[in-house]
Amino acid sequence: MKNPMSLIREIDYGTPASTSETLVTLNVDGFEVTVPEGTSIMRASMEAGIEIPKLCATDMVEAFGSCRLCLVEIDGRNGTPSSCTTPVTPGMVVHTQTEKLKKIRRGVMELYISDHPLDCLTCAANGDCELQTQAGVVGLRSVRYNVDANHFTPKVRGESNFRYMEKDESNPYFTYDPSKCIACSRCVRACEEVQGTFALTIEGRGFESRVSAGAHESFIDSDCVSCGACVQACPTATLMEKSVVEIGIPEHSVVTTCAYCGVGCSFKAEMRGDELIRMVPFKDGKANRGHSCVKGRFAYGYASHPDRITKPMVRDSIDQPWREVSWDDAYAFVADRFASIQKTHGIDSIGGITSSRCTNEETYLVQKLVRQGFGNNNVDTCARVCHSPTGYGLGQAYGTSAGTQDFDSVEHTDVIVLIGANPTEAHPVFSSRMKKRLRAGAKLIILDPRQIALVRTPHIEAQFHLPLQPGTNVAVITAMAHVIVTEALYDEQFIRERCDWDEFEEYMEFVTDLRHSPEVVEGLSGVPSETIRGAARLYATGGNGAIYYGLGVTEHSQGSTTVMAIANLAMLTGNIGRPGVGVNPLRGQNNVQGACDMGSFPHELPGYRHISGEDVRNIFEEEWGVTLVKEPGLRIPNMLDAAVEGTFKGIYIEGEDILQSDPDTHHVAAGLAAMECVVVHDLFLNETANYAHVFLPGSTFLEKDGTFTNAERRINRVRKVMAPKNGFADWEVTMGIANAMGLNWTYTHPSEIMDEVARTTPSFAGVSYDHLDEVGSVQWPCNEKAPLGTPIMHIEGFVRGKGRFINTEYVATDERSGPRFPLLLTTGRILSQYNVGAQTRRTANVIWHEEDVLEIHPHDAEQRGINHGDLVSLASRAGETSLRADVTERVAPGVVYTTFHHPDTQVNVITTDFSDWATNCPEYKVTAVQVALATGRSNWQEEYNQQAEQSRRIEHDGELIHGD
Amino acid sequence: MATEAKMIREANQIATFFHSKHHDEGVAGIAEHLNKFWAPRQRRQFFDMIDAGGEGFDELVIEASATVWRPEPVAS
Ligand code: SF4
Ligand code: SF4
Ligand code: SF4
Ligand code: FES
């Protein structure tokens, strides 16, 4: 589908699709139509092209049958049943438009309209209102009013109207205007069924009924998480985006992909001219199926934030103010500096960092620039700091490093195991899909030090919560394997067919040892042995078991080992290779998967092929016309080490803020300060830019074409909806540097970059923009064997051949709490903010999260004389910062927790340089700390703010201004 | 000094994992890991320390060093 520049209107079938395989044929107004059993008459008619009038039905939620507008007549049946709640039967003959029906419908509409303000011309939903449409559809021509009893006039006969309720504008992104509510309950059902939050209810009965958030609260004070589902569901202007109220309804739309998290939701960017009016989740989006969260739906305001830098800037040293220059001058500055550094300090003295926020095409170009232009392999990505152990661990066990399922798979899962992931906050739309399945009866096991929301939430309660001590994942998961093996709950047939049997026997011997028993592990992890046993039994015997895990698994010194332990569990129980099962890493940022796929690690070329392989090098040598180095390059921490030692002097950083996101801030700062040319390519003057010599303004996902690959390996198109404010898309900027270095790149569109990827990388061989336009999205591998991509991996056998069982010995982290630092700090994220927060902090989302706070158990707080809301200091052997305390039982005694969204907190001042043994993924999830009442901001915070202030000055028309 | 301590820690961390394999497999595993993931610069520092006696390294690391590729000396 090429995008026509008109408003994409998706068909509303009225009720959700039925998944039945049995087909039923019926007759609607003289037309035969065949649909799956369980389909409503309304939906069947729509499929035949006949639209039955409706108000309370929409296909995002189950029918409720309250408005009585959708009545039909059926031969051989009495009365006028509602078509949204009546399922089809074979041979049924339906009439949707008869004199009788017309009359009833007009009567129904008249009733609705008589209690509705007729200010259509000035209403925000004018032209986009189903009530308006249906009034037209049923031919309503006159209305008898009852002026005394209505909901929409503040006064009746000079007295104040007790039925009237004020608008609720408390949510920053949408309004609730009760005077326009028709009590159809679509919003209530959307909040329950689609989002799973149960924030809304219908209060009162009959004529008095109105929607209410929580118990008579404003939206902002209720449980509402601002996902927007109710706003989409509302047929009137009652729930309405503020942007539409302010600007008007959109006239064209473009389908694109959210740039926030690894779910990769598809949206229609609805525009008026080049102004973005709203982002509406796209029903055909295969990751989100028409749902969204507050970030993708509403938090795009950063794209037009005044802090955005739009002109390139340079300076000779970081104590000088920035100087605005032309693009060409900036490119020349970079090329000259890099060349002279390499001349003096050698080929290996510069490198580049790609970002998982960038598109695949941009990432590919950065690693190409490093390999082809810099002549070394010093390229790394921030995926290093989150999911590198997934790549290593799954690669070892299964032969490929990616998640095994698509998101739809969860609909077939019976037991969900959630390890170190908090999807309600970090992967909201997937969590909604998960919650839907849990409400339908699937069981839930959670391994997490904190009592995350899913442990107990409306209509869901985890069967088992294993609140393990941070750092003991391997012990607990191996103990689960111990139970499965010693109680003979494993799937012998699967193991014999799919796995290496000798290795399995060795593994059996290993895991049977008493040191892996739940009873022993209880002592290390604090999890009662019976809970471990119960969880293991449930996973092994409860039907389709699927494991979903997050950064709480990977960001540990034993991250890779934990991933292997998870891989073992799935193989043991045969939970691999079909719908409903599998091992699924939940990726943090939007394009973590893609960044890894595109060869941004220093040891491998695109498609996970090690740089030492001659055949692979040959492919790229031919394509790029250079000889490639066969040795692995430096990883980010090694680059910083080398910088401190004086052998690494220049770096190009695209879309990353390593000073804020990487561990041990002091070390990062020292490394950056020791370099001679730091090039930051980003939207804002981020924290890293305080140490930069060149700033190249970046573009947002709304301003460029490209692709993102989500956590299910799905390649989704990102489409340009407006011109870049900075003048160039990011791929053009990288090309500018390359060409200033004499590389002669000639791309005219990102599709050509994807073509190059497809040419050189077998798992992408079938991917092209044309193909994506045609089929919407594909999950790699996508090639001749699988032209439509691969939703589920390892179906017939493992990618590597036989699956491998790997012994996973628990090793306590060096970061144990001791007398000086008796508490364990673990870190995480929250729903409304994204990563280092540079984007979300520049939107109205700050209303939900003004600062990072430290969660501490009441017992630990009391011991230290800390009250809720006190400013406390948080110190580790690496550094000290201060923030406010949140005294809560969500964390266990001995454990404290915080987020890392605000630069002022700089929680990474605290985190240490300990890392995963295999991949150097930093150990963010365990740091030994002490907490005490603070008198003020830490010295570091004070100094840091001064330095930042100094460093952000920009010389503009001979005056100094402050960038932000 | 800090670098050396860090290198010992990281190498020994790798060795710890490979201790759960058969001895030969473990030694080969460590060497392969260092060859695959450590840049020449790191291996150079590694060999400087090994050649100086390798104090502090896990014995499996020392054994594995025999099959870790020696990077070419720096041309500077
Ligand atoms: S925005 Fe989402 S969470 Fe809030 S009330 Fe609407 S559907 Fe429920
Ligand atoms: S707010 Fe909208 S969706 Fe909800 S009941 Fe009222 S009219 Fe229906
Ligand atoms: S942030 Fe994630 S869940 Fe939310 S809309 Fe974007 S991709 Fe979807
Ligand atoms: S649409 Fe069927 S009863 Fe309202």
Side-chain angles (χ1 to χ4, degrees):
Chain A
M1 163 204 69
K2 275 264 177 279
N3 267 292
M5 290 291 270
S6 62
L7 200 64
I8 300 166
R9 290 191 191 274
E10 294 164 278
I11 298 172
D12 184 352
Y13 289 91
T15 62
S18 158
T19 50
S20 169
E21 282 170 12
T22 318
L23 295 179
V24 171
T25 301
L26 68 158
N27 183 298
V28 183
D29 293 340
F31 295 95
E32 296 271 293
V33 47
T34 303
V35 291
E37 192 172 27
T39 302
S40 68
I41 294 177
M42 175 179 280
R43 189 174 177 104
S45 304
M46 196 65 204
E47 286 188 11
I50 296 165
E51 190 171 351
I52 300 174
K54 63 178 194 312
L55 273 176
C56 70
T58 179
D59 59 11
M60 69 191 276
V61 291
E62 297 297 333
F64 187 59
S66 65
C67 77
R68 311 286 296 152
L69 198 63
C70 68
L71 313 181
V72 291
E73 292 194 79
I74 302 171
D75 284 0
R77 273 198 220 180
N78 290 333
T80 51
S82 49
S83 63
C84 62
T85 51
T86 310
V88 296
T89 53
M92 180 183 245
V93 178
V94 180
H95 306 280
T96 72
Q97 182 80 343
T98 64
E99 285 312 315
K100 184 173 172 192
L101 294 172
K102 283 195 247 177
K103 199 160 155 248
I104 304 177
R105 286 186 190 140
R106 264 185 221 143
V108 168
M109 271 322 281
E110 186 178 0
L111 216 56
Y112 274 112
I113 299 298
S114 68
D115 186 24
H116 201 82
L118 291 187
D119 58 358
C120 288
L121 282 184
T122 51
C123 176
N126 187 8
D128 186 24
C129 170
E130 293 181 38
L131 190 67
Q132 199 180 43
T133 311
Q134 297 304 335
V137 163
V138 305
L140 185 69
R141 296 293 172 255
S142 64
V143 175
R144 284 156 292 175
Y145 275 106
N146 178 354
V147 276
D148 288 346
N150 77 60
H151 288 94
F152 59 86
T153 52
K155 294 202 166 184
V156 171
R157 297 186 197 277
E159 304 276 315
S160 72
N161 179 0
F162 69 93
R163 293 192 172 89
Y164 177 78
M165 282 162 66
E166 295 269 337
K167 258 194 199 179
D168 175 355
E169 309 213 50
S170 62
N171 182 292
Y173 300 117
F174 60 84
T175 56
Y176 169 51
D177 180 356
S179 71
K180 297 197 166 165
C181 180
I182 59 170
C184 65
S185 86
R186 277 161 63 159
C187 55
V188 177
R189 283 174 282 149
C191 190
E192 293 178 4
E193 293 173 32
V194 180
Q195 165 57 26
T197 293
F198 295 79
L200 302 178
T201 48
I202 296 273
E203 269 191 352
R205 326 202 88 231
F207 186 64
E208 302 306 326
S209 46
R210 281 300 168 274
V211 170
S212 163
H216 261 320
E217 288 156 304
S218 64
F219 269 78
I220 204 72
D221 295 325
S222 73
D223 288 339
C224 168
V225 294
S226 197
C227 71
C230 56
V231 181
Q232 263 145 273
C234 183
T236 63
T238 313
L239 289 164
M240 185 54 107
E241 292 93 351
K242 285 185 176 169
S243 56
V244 175
V245 176
E246 274 155 30
I247 315 172
I249 56 171
E251 45 68 39
H252 76 271
S253 55
V254 177
V255 173
T256 190
T257 304
C258 175
Y260 276 122
C261 90
V263 179
C265 296
S266 298
F267 281 88
K268 292 178 289 181
E270 298 196 338
M271 313 289 297
R272 176 153 282 280
D274 68 351
E275 189 169 22
L276 178 59
I277 308 281
R278 62 180 171 190
M279 297 286 278
V280 183
F282 188 48
K283 265 200 314 201
D284 271 355
K286 296 195 184 82
N288 55 320
R289 303 278 177 203
H291 189 36
S292 66
C293 84
V294 59
K295 293 193 287 294
R297 179 91 156 85
F298 296 118
Y300 47 79
Y302 69 88
S304 49
H305 196 280
D307 285 353
R308 257 188 85 178
I309 306 282
T310 53
K311 293 201 183 93
M313 307 188 294
V314 301
R315 58 183 169 190
D316 289 314
S317 68
I318 62 168
D319 52 11
Q320 295 177 347
W322 286 106
R323 206 157 30 86
E324 291 174 348
V325 294
S326 72
W327 282 97
D328 284 340
D329 288 350
Y331 295 144
F333 188 99
V334 176
D336 289 351
R337 287 269 176 132
F338 279 175
S340 82
I341 289 173
Q342 283 192 307
K343 204 159 162 226
T344 327
H345 301 280
I347 290 287
D348 290 333
S349 57
I350 60 173
I353 296 179
T354 77
S355 168
S356 25
R357 266 175 251 167
C358 295
T359 63
N360 287 320
E361 292 75 7
E362 288 155 4
T363 302
Y364 178 87
L365 286 195
V366 172
Q367 63 92 32
K368 176 172 174 176
L369 176 71
V370 169
R371 298 200 155 103
Q372 185 196 34
F374 298 0
N376 60 40
N377 288 311
N378 293 339
V379 59
D380 205 357
T381 167
C382 61
R384 160 85 52 223
V385 303
C386 56
H387 261 294
S388 49
T390 291
Y392 185 81
L394 291 186
Q396 293 287 312
Y398 299 163
T400 175
S401 56
T404 62
Q405 311 296 114
D406 59 0
F407 288 146
D408 286 351
S409 162
V410 76
E411 289 165 18
H412 307 277
T413 299
D414 302 308
V415 180
I416 294 173
V417 185
L418 196 60
I419 311 178
N422 192 1
T424 45
E425 304 287 336
H427 303 89
V429 165
F430 180 67
S431 100
S432 290
R433 299 187 66 180
M434 201 178 239
K435 285 193 283 188
K436 188 168 192 173
R437 181 66 196 155
L438 290 166
R439 287 195 305 274
K443 305 276 191 293
L444 177 63
I445 299 168
I446 295 176
L447 279 75
D448 201 293
R450 276 175 84 229
Q451 171 136 9
I452 59 170
L454 279 174
V455 172
R456 188 171 296 119
T457 184
H459 304 279
I460 292 172
E461 182 154 3
Q463 273 62 36
F464 295 99
H465 173 215
L466 286 57
L468 70 192
Q469 277 288 303
T472 59
N473 285 330
V474 171
V476 174
I477 298 170
T478 307
M480 286 174 70
H482 173 93
V483 176
I484 293 170
V485 167
T486 53
E487 299 186 6
L489 303 174
Y490 54 87
D491 183 343
E492 179 164 343
Q493 195 193 343
F494 179 92
I495 299 167
R496 282 196 186 276
E497 279 170 18
R498 308 278 187 92
C499 307
D500 185 317
W501 186 259
D502 290 343
E503 262 165 354
F504 173 65
E505 287 191 318
E506 259 174 51
Y507 175 75
M508 281 230 281
E509 199 185 314
F510 163 81
V511 83
T512 308
D513 192 281
L514 222 55
R515 69 182 187 280
H516 302 302
S517 68
E519 289 66 29
V520 173
V521 168
E522 173 172 343
L524 306 166
S525 66
V527 184
S529 58
E530 268 319 303
T531 311
I532 300 181
R533 285 192 182 273
R537 289 174 193 141
L538 176 59
Y539 174 65
T541 62
N544 283 343
I547 301 175
Y548 292 88
Y549 70 88
L551 304 181
V553 158
T554 51
E555 290 176 348
H556 283 287
S557 55
Q558 277 204 290
S560 292
T561 317
T562 312
V563 173
M564 296 178 207
I566 289 172
N568 288 340
L569 269 194
M571 282 189 294
L572 270 182
T573 51
N575 276 317
I576 279 284
R578 61 177 191 277
V581 299
V583 173
N584 306 280
L586 292 172
R587 313 270 178 177
Q589 302 185 49
N590 54 321
N591 203 31
V592 171
Q593 182 68 54
C596 299
D597 299 344
M598 290 298 113
S600 43
F601 286 125
H603 64 274
E604 62 196 10
L605 286 159
Y608 303 96
R609 291 166 295 170
H610 199 269
I611 189 82
S612 62
E614 202 176 322
D615 295 348
V616 182
R617 279 204 316 279
N618 280 341
I619 298 173
F620 289 93
E621 287 175 344
E622 215 158 279
E623 183 76 37
W624 299 342
V626 291
T627 307
L628 295 176
V629 180
K630 66 168 193 277
E631 289 274 18
L634 298 172
R635 304 168 175 187
I636 296 172
N638 307 129
M639 293 182 200
L640 294 166
D641 291 346
V644 172
E645 284 163 29
T647 62
F648 189 85
K649 293 285 186 188
I651 193 163
Y652 169 42
I653 306 174
E654 175 168 292
E656 266 311 300
D657 194 359
I658 57 170
L659 190 71
Q660 210 194 329
S661 65
D662 282 38
D664 198 357
T665 311
H666 293 299
H667 185 63
V668 179
L672 289 169
M675 294 188 209
E676 289 169 9
C677 185
V678 173
V679 182
V680 168
H681 180 181
D682 212 323
L683 296 172
F684 304 103
L685 276 176
N686 62 19
E687 307 306 310
T688 308
N690 295 342
Y691 292 87
H693 306 85
V694 181
F695 185 87
L696 302 172
S699 52
T700 71
F701 76 112
L702 296 167
E703 300 165 338
K704 61 198 180 191
D705 282 298
T707 56
F708 291 146
T709 308
N710 76 356
E712 30 157 32
R713 295 171 277 108
R714 183 181 302 287
I715 306 164
N716 274 316
R717 273 284 267 119
V718 177
R719 292 189 177 89
K720 178 173 166 177
V721 301
M722 56 177 78
K725 286 216 169 10
N726 58 326
F728 296 98
D730 295 329
W731 61 273
E732 294 174 282
V733 174
T734 307
M735 186 159 90
I737 301 177
N739 288 342
M741 296 179 76
L743 297 181
N744 290 323
W745 291 0
T746 56
Y747 306 106
T748 59
H749 190 266
S751 63
E752 298 163 13
I753 305 170
M754 182 51 84
D755 293 342
E756 183 172 321
V757 175
R759 258 195 321 272
T760 50
T761 309
S763 48
F764 282 72
V767 183
S768 70
Y769 280 27
D770 283 345
H771 189 51
L772 292 174
D773 284 343
E774 210 172 293
V775 301
S777 65
V778 291
Q779 289 172 272
W780 66 257
C782 171
N783 47 33
E784 245 171 42
K785 269 199 284 182
L788 293 178
T790 313
I792 292 174
M793 295 188 93
H794 315 297
I795 289 188
E796 302 282 307
F798 287 98
V799 168
R800 72 178 300 283
K802 293 277 183 190
R804 273 179 76 193
F805 282 94
I806 300 171
N807 294 355
T808 52
E809 191 72 65
Y810 165 69
V811 183
T813 165
D814 291 339
E815 191 67 32
R816 261 171 307 229
S817 44
R820 260 182 77 208
F821 301 110
L823 302 171
L824 286 178
L825 168 75
T826 178
T827 59
R829 350 186 142 218
I830 63 152
L831 170 68
S832 59
Q833 300 293 317
Y834 174 68
N835 198 262
V836 295
Q839 285 123 301
T840 42
R841 269 187 287 116
R842 290 183 172 90
T843 69
N845 276 24
V846 288
I847 194 168
W848 287 284
H849 188 73
E850 284 162 31
E851 56 182 342
D852 295 319
V853 296
L854 185 77
E855 290 186 2
I856 181 168
H857 189 272
H859 174 78
D860 293 324
E862 199 190 316
Q863 274 190 343
R864 292 167 175 76
I866 294 169
N867 292 313
H868 194 76
D870 284 349
L871 188 67
V872 295
S873 74
L874 174 68
S876 75
R877 62 183 170 79
E880 181 177 342
T881 189
S882 60
L883 68 177
R884 305 223 164 257
D886 174 7
V887 179
T888 169
E889 289 184 3
R890 273 192 299 274
V891 288
V895 178
V896 291
Y897 168 86
T898 189
T899 48
F900 61 105
H901 301 301
H902 288 262
D904 193 44
T905 325
Q906 283 281 5
V907 67
N908 282 326
V909 170
I910 307 300
T911 54
T912 67
D913 63 352
F914 284 176
S915 63
D916 174 49
W917 65 267
T919 65
N920 280 144
C921 179
E923 188 166 49
Y924 285 137
K925 296 293 179 181
V926 203
T927 310
V929 294
Q930 178 58 294
V931 177
L933 272 174
T935 42
R937 294 283 170 194
S938 74
N939 285 345
W940 158 263
Q941 280 163 311
E942 297 290 341
E943 279 167 33
Y944 183 82
N945 285 340
Q946 263 174 21
Q947 197 270 350
E949 176 96 347
Q950 175 80 4
S951 176
R952 286 183 180 155
R953 290 166 308 155
I954 301 171
E955 210 177 273
H956 188 76
D957 295 336
E959 265 181 74
L960 281 186
I961 54 168
H962 280 273
D964 230 326
Chain B
M1 186 54 217
T3 325
E4 294 182 357
K6 196 162 151 187
M7 174 146 291
I8 293 175
R9 188 179 75 219
E10 292 188 0
N12 290 355
Q13 250 186 311
I14 296 169
T16 306
F17 173 79
F18 285 102
H19 269 293
S20 63
K21 306 243 176 195
H22 292 295
H23 177 265
D24 293 354
E25 207 188 320
V27 171
I30 295 172
E32 188 195 335
H33 196 91
L34 301 196
N35 287 333
K36 258 184 139 166
F37 299 105
W38 282 23
R41 178 176 179 279
Q42 281 171 289
R43 301 206 308 275
R44 212 169 279 129
Q45 289 175 336
F46 172 71
F47 277 113
D48 287 349
M49 292 166 67
I50 291 283
D51 294 346
E55 204 182 321
F57 283 116
D58 188 298
E59 82 249 23
L60 226 49
V61 173
I62 301 205
E63 221 177 301
S65 68
T67 43
V68 174
W69 301 328
R70 272 189 189 259
E72 286 161 29
V74 231
S76 63

